[in-house]
Amino acid sequence: MERNTRQRGALRRAFQRADRPLSTSEVLELARAEVGRLGIATVYRNIRAMLDEGWLATVSLPGEAPRYELHGKPHHHHFHCRSCDRVFDVPGCTHDLGAGLPDGFTLHDHEVVLFGTCRDCADAR
Ligand SMILES: [Zn+2]
Ligand SMILES: [Zn+2]
């Protein structure tokens, strides 16, 4: 019980500190720095529980393993760095994405994924 609570705490803090969507392997790596021994099965189990509790939300990217982020963030978009494979938040929304809709169509929502190179990867060149 004690151990489980500590593991869950470490996983939560990994998400809070990263402040960007994380894959299961990224969470595993970050949380291991705090609690040491931690298995991927434990990470999967806890992520599922945190999704059920409404604490986490799934970030789906085309052709990618899912990432997870804190639930309830204000509307934002995602940026996928093709060099390091990390996903970042792009706050806000400036595009009138419903502008080109055919007559009679109603827009309910949208997801936008930007692709490119993050600052770290650009600097490393
Ligand atoms: Zn990068
Ligand atoms: Zn938007």
Side-chain angles (χ1 to χ4, degrees):
M1 183 58 199
E2 165 71 7
R3 185 159 173 262
N4 290 344
T5 310
R6 257 186 359 115
Q7 289 175 335
R8 174 70 73 93
L11 292 168
R12 280 180 188 270
R13 280 187 288 282
F15 280 106
Q16 284 163 334
R17 284 195 195 122
D19 198 30
R20 63 178 185 82
L22 297 174
S23 66
T24 33
S25 50
E26 284 175 323
V27 188
L28 177 66
E29 204 180 305
L30 289 168
R32 260 182 186 164
E34 192 181 327
V35 291
R37 283 177 48 200
L38 185 67
I40 192 76
T42 304
V43 174
Y44 273 114
R45 194 175 62 244
N46 278 284
I47 284 178
R48 202 167 304 128
M50 290 190 276
L51 287 168
D52 288 347
E53 289 160 13
W55 197 82
L56 278 183
T58 305
V59 177
S60 305
L61 302 170
E64 283 287 314
R67 310 301 205 274
Y68 304 93
E69 67 181 5
L70 303 188
H71 183 262
K73 286 191 156 195
H75 181 81
H76 62 282
H77 298 164
H78 292 117
F79 182 100
H80 180 206
C81 175
R82 284 193 156 133
S83 296
C84 65
D85 216 25
R86 290 184 295 177
V87 178
F88 301 88
D89 284 355
V90 181
C93 186
T94 52
H95 326 278
D96 188 5
L97 292 163
L101 281 179
D103 241 14
F105 282 63
T106 307
L107 182 68
H108 289 175
D109 203 358
H110 65 257
E111 281 181 28
V112 175
V113 183
L114 308 165
F115 298 92
T117 311
C118 75
R119 191 189 301 127
D120 289 348
C121 291
D123 285 350
R125 269 186 200 160

